[in-house]
Amino acid sequence: MALHNQRDLHQASAEALRQALSAYRIIDLSRELIQGIPTIPTHPKFFLLPFPAMTDPAEFNQLVMGDHSGTHVDVPAHFVPDSSDKRRVHTHEIPLTALMGRAVKLSFGPYEPDSHNIGPGEIIEWEAQNTAIERDDIVLFDTKWEHRWSLVPEGFDYLNGWPGLTGEAAKYLREKGVKAVGIDCISIDPGDKSGPDLRAHYELLPAGVLVMENLCNLAEVPEISYFMAFPLRLSGGTGSPIRAISLVPNTGGNQ
């Protein structure tokens, strides 16, 4: 009898979730992984190679890529080099809920390719005119940069002077207690920063705030949405490609 009741409970819960989700549509925020996508010049490139087997009729491909290929998440190990540092969390150690929750989308730009530095003042002004960023929010930055994405060599334009966050802006978000920050650019830091000047990375990642880069379709996402993304369970990874989505009220058919 107890087993029967438990089965009924699970069935009712699944049906309630199915009905709740049917009221929402899915916006895909992830780039297609294809050879020739833009990458930071020093990062590994993406290759999908046909891999025929002599005696197997099934088809296979071999993937060669970095753990920061395409739309991806940076995890703390990316910018915490000391193996004895407890903050050095790898991709396989990220909980499933780390990239799930309320998302707040901030719209800025469009910007010229002059490595615009988004400061805390711009974020505070946006909050005053729209809504406050809260603890455990996932903050998405729509800088109107995604239209520059293309396969190289045209895609080199995507790597020229992109906007990003100053260290002060990243610190402001960290102190607000957000759990992740995403942007529609190749990096959360502006294009004119490198090495020790990548202050947004250094402010966020060692504090456990995850960073997502190369998001897309942010123009379709409302100011507030429910966000989900899942990295691969890469042992020792410093990041991972993700399939990122936003759930928004369904005004038409399901996607």
Side-chain angles (χ1 to χ4, degrees):
M1 184 64 177
L3 182 61
H4 179 74
N5 290 340
Q6 188 177 48
R7 184 175 66 245
D8 288 346
L9 176 61
H10 291 166
Q11 182 174 333
S13 297
E15 178 60 21
L17 181 60
R18 185 191 69 80
Q19 291 187 17
L21 290 176
S22 68
Y24 293 84
R25 66 184 180 94
I26 298 173
I27 300 176
D28 192 346
L29 307 181
S30 302
R31 292 288 182 183
E32 181 182 2
L33 285 171
I34 184 173
Q35 192 162 315
I37 58 175
T39 64
I40 295 289
T42 57
H43 285 199
K45 310 310 174 191
F46 175 86
F47 298 94
L48 187 148
L49 308 170
F51 200 86
M54 180 175 173
T55 60
D56 196 327
E59 294 189 13
F60 302 93
N61 293 299
Q62 178 173 326
L63 295 175
V64 180
M65 61 181 180
D67 53 1
H68 297 260
S69 293
T71 304
H72 65 273
V73 63
D74 295 353
V75 302
H78 188 40
F79 268 72
V80 181
D82 185 354
S83 60
S84 65
D85 193 326
K86 292 182 179 179
R87 299 175 301 170
R88 185 174 165 81
V89 177
H90 292 89
T91 310
H92 71 282
E93 299 171 297
I94 298 298
L96 289 173
T97 55
L99 294 175
M100 296 175 61
R102 188 182 94 137
V104 180
K105 185 194 77 170
L106 283 65
S107 295
F108 295 120
Y111 296 112
E112 295 298 320
D114 56 5
S115 301
H116 180 83
N117 285 226
I118 300 171
E122 292 173 76
I123 299 174
I124 293 169
E125 181 180 359
W126 185 93
E127 287 183 284
Q129 296 176 358
N130 296 276
T131 189
I133 296 169
E134 300 176 356
R135 175 169 295 276
D136 287 332
D137 275 347
I138 296 168
V139 181
L140 307 177
F141 284 90
D142 176 12
T143 71
K144 318 296 190 299
W145 195 257
E146 64 176 83
H147 75 278
R148 294 175 179 267
W149 177 277
S150 183
L151 301 184
V152 298
E154 291 81 3
F156 289 141
D157 186 50
Y158 184 74
L159 306 175
N160 181 30
W162 67 87
L165 303 185
T166 64
E168 292 77 13
K171 180 181 179 182
Y172 174 77
L173 294 173
R174 172 176 61 78
E175 291 179 341
K176 295 213 77 170
V178 306
K179 62 181 180 180
V181 181
I183 197 167
D184 58 348
C185 301
I186 195 74
S187 173
I188 198 71
D189 280 281
D192 62 351
K193 301 298 189 293
S194 62
D197 293 326
L198 297 171
R199 292 186 56 209
H201 278 89
Y202 282 111
E203 286 286 349
L204 298 171
L205 292 175
V209 181
L210 303 183
V211 171
M212 294 175 289
E213 295 160 336
N214 295 329
L215 294 170
C216 63
N217 298 326
L218 290 177
E220 300 180 38
V221 178
E223 179 183 295
I224 303 293
S225 68
Y226 191 85
F227 179 92
M228 289 191 293
F230 299 101
L232 300 174
R233 200 174 183 184
L234 297 174
S235 180
T238 65
S240 171
I242 55 174
R243 193 64 179 266
I245 65 169
S246 280
L247 294 173
V248 301
N250 188 9
T251 57
N254 285 325
Q255 290 187 336

